[in-house]
Amino acid sequence: MQPIRITEIPQHLGEEVLIQGWLYHKRSSGAIQFLLLRDGSGLMQAIVLKSNSAAFQVAEGLAQESSLRVWGQARADKRAPTGYELEISRFELVQLAHDYPIAPKEHGPGFLMDHRHLWIRSPKQAALLRVRHEVLQGMRDFFHQRGFIATESPILTPAAVEGTTTLFPVDYFGDQAYLSQSGQLYLEATAAALGLVYWIGPAFRAEQSKTRKHLTEFWMCEAEMAFYDHQMNMQLQEELVKYLLERLLKQRAAELETLERNTASLQKVLSEPFARITYAEALELLAEQGLPLEWGDDFGAPHEEVLGQHFQRPVFIEKMPAAMKAFYMEPDPQNPELVLAADLIAPEGYGELIGGSQRISDLEMLERKLQEFQLPREPYEWYLDLRRYGSVPHSGFGIGVERTVAWIAGAKHLRECIPFPRQLHRIYP
Ligand code: 4AD
Ligand code: MG
């Protein structure tokens, strides 16, 4: 008999089916054993009647996370936790597990993080990983449907993209190299070759602070578009975020329910355009709300929370002072102290989802910026070439995968939005 997955049960009601998985939880009423099975796709209740004495005996001896194959008849049952139930006729024990360390009760975050390799089996953690999968697949489908070419950037790189303070150094056969902070510079080259490009890859930042919103290794989806200006860039970002949201609400409703996500606030985001304000307007708004910042200061978590709270939907913050952003950003023609960049801040305190900008296309200006930012010229020679040969206005952005997952799933901590998080002081398991 071909095994089916728990999510396929509704198509097999009344039939004898085979499910392969693990025991998540068990209770007994004396005459009936209630087993909660998981198979990676979801959870399902299975029952064993005392009258089936061989199976009943196996069930009695089972402990959490024992692996098994079960055969039985599937039926709808309103009393069962997921609405379906399997009456087991036969068992095959694959492995009897003993003393599984994570019982379905409260453990501290340190303990759970040390057991991350097992913790991911818990229903909420598994739901988060399925949400992550859907977000990543959504990103691929979105760009593929629009004719973008997926093209990869290297991880071992000779130069900084996003400032020199968070670089991870690597000894490259005696030369100094770094783990990539962003694939952007290489995407600018492939965009000049292919027009519209994107990639999804890891990014590394030696973040010295321990926050809920920072990992030292995270994943980013980056896009780069030849002949796109700042406005077109923001428009595309808004379409991407709305596409992802709509897709997740539809395809992963069960997971969002498991995660107890209030989806009304997400639905609301779909119904109206994102807010857009300038950096100067943001400072005014923050001062009114009792959180004054100096011109040129970056937002911290409290500021992002207030902005999210104020707009109740994602908000683009545009036109920041050039000095606080990266070297490659195109100055605002109306005020060259500012850059044509925008950060997209999520509502509900989930922080910055996207950083994007129009890129400098003029050779001399880019040369000047490298000097101003005190960056060595040599590792960027190839990047300057892009401005020598057929330079065009172009723009791009990077959206944080874990930040997007955290927002959509309602996860308070980024460490739960990636299978094996890397943080300051954490590289195990
Ligand atoms: O704003 P960032 O630094 O932008 C760039 O790296 C650009 N080069 C991207 C581009 O234009 N192609 O990072 C982009 C996004 C942030 O908005 C945030 O969502 C995420 O990446 N991010 C992090 N996520 C987790 N942990 C960290 N330490 C992160 N740093 C940035
Ligand atoms: Mg940023």
Side-chain angles (χ1 to χ4, degrees), residues 162 205 325 343 352 354-355:
E162 297 297 322
R205 310 258 170 112
K325 302 303 274 184
D343 289 343
E352 185 193 305
I354 299 182

Side-chain angles (χ1 to χ4, degrees), residues 167-183:
L167 285 169
F168 267 117
V170 180
D171 172 51
Y172 197 73
F173 306 112
D175 280 336
Q176 178 78 84
Y178 308 98
L179 297 179
S180 173
Q181 295 172 309
S182 153

Side-chain angles (χ1 to χ4, degrees), residues 131-398:
V131 167
R132 179 187 171 95
H133 157 76
E134 196 72 40
V135 165
L136 285 164
Q137 194 59 41
M139 289 167 168
R140 292 183 194 110
D141 289 347
F142 176 87
F143 285 114
H144 181 72
Q145 282 161 17
R146 281 168 174 71
F148 281 63
I149 301 294
T151 169
E152 287 71 34
S153 292
I155 301 301
L156 291 166
T157 57
V161 186
E162 297 297 322
T164 49
T165 57
T166 62
L167 285 169
F168 267 117
V170 180
D171 172 51
Y172 197 73
F173 306 112
D175 280 336
Q176 178 78 84
Y178 308 98
L179 297 179
S180 173
Q181 295 172 309
S182 153
Q184 176 195 322
L185 305 189
Y186 296 95
L187 285 184
E188 289 183 54
T190 51
L194 301 159
L196 304 172
V197 296
Y198 82 100
W199 91 304
I200 302 173
F204 302 87
R205 310 258 170 112
E207 302 277 1
Q208 292 291 335
S209 58
K210 236 178 125 179
T211 83
R212 294 187 287 118
K213 290 181 202 148
H214 291 90
L215 299 168
T216 54
E217 177 178 327
F218 64 98
W219 283 65
M220 218 193 315
C221 173
E222 296 182 89
E224 198 68 31
M225 298 78 68
F227 296 102
Y228 265 52
D229 66 12
H230 174 57
Q231 292 300 327
M232 296 161 79
N233 193 18
M234 284 192 292
Q235 185 56 38
L236 184 70
Q237 292 165 40
E238 180 163 343
E239 283 170 23
L240 169 65
V241 171
K242 284 187 167 164
Y243 170 85
L244 293 173
L245 204 50
E246 201 168 358
R247 177 165 171 152
L248 268 289
L249 285 167
K250 208 156 130 196
Q251 305 288 346
R252 295 293 164 181
E255 279 78 9
L256 296 181
E257 201 183 318
T258 299
L259 293 161
E260 297 167 61
R261 179 65 165 115
N262 166 14
T263 50
S265 58
L266 298 177
Q267 288 289 358
K268 187 171 171 290
V269 168
L270 287 177
S271 63
E272 54 196 352
F274 292 178
R276 293 180 187 204
I277 59 168
T278 63
Y279 175 80
E281 288 164 341
L283 286 200
E284 269 175 45
L285 201 152
L286 287 166
E288 278 165 27
Q289 309 266 340
L291 283 173
L293 280 178
E294 294 287 318
W295 181 257
D297 283 351
D298 217 338
F299 305 130
H303 311 100
E304 292 175 346
E305 240 152 80
V306 163
L307 290 169
Q309 189 63 32
H310 182 83
F311 291 100
Q312 303 268 318
R313 62 199 150 121
V315 51
F316 284 110
I317 315 287
E318 294 179 72
K319 304 200 175 181
M320 296 81 154
M324 68 182 273
K325 302 303 274 184
F327 73 96
Y328 52 72
M329 293 179 177
E330 177 79 10
D332 180 1
Q334 276 148 31
N335 178 359
E337 297 285 294
L338 307 179
V339 280
L340 294 180
D343 289 343
L344 184 69
I345 312 291
E348 300 177 77
Y350 289 96
E352 185 193 305
L353 293 183
I354 299 182
S357 68
Q358 188 167 328
R359 322 305 192 186
I360 291 172
S361 53
D362 180 70
L363 177 62
E364 275 161 33
M365 183 181 296
L366 189 56
E367 288 174 325
R368 228 174 25 245
K369 284 281 184 167
L370 281 175
Q371 271 183 353
E372 271 174 36
F373 281 76
Q374 297 181 329
L375 291 164
R377 189 182 158 118
E378 199 192 342
Y380 297 94
E381 260 324 316
W382 68 268
Y383 187 64
L384 292 167
D385 265 354
L386 305 178
R387 280 73 186 169
R388 289 191 183 100
Y389 308 108
S391 190
V392 296
H394 64 288
S395 301
F397 65 91

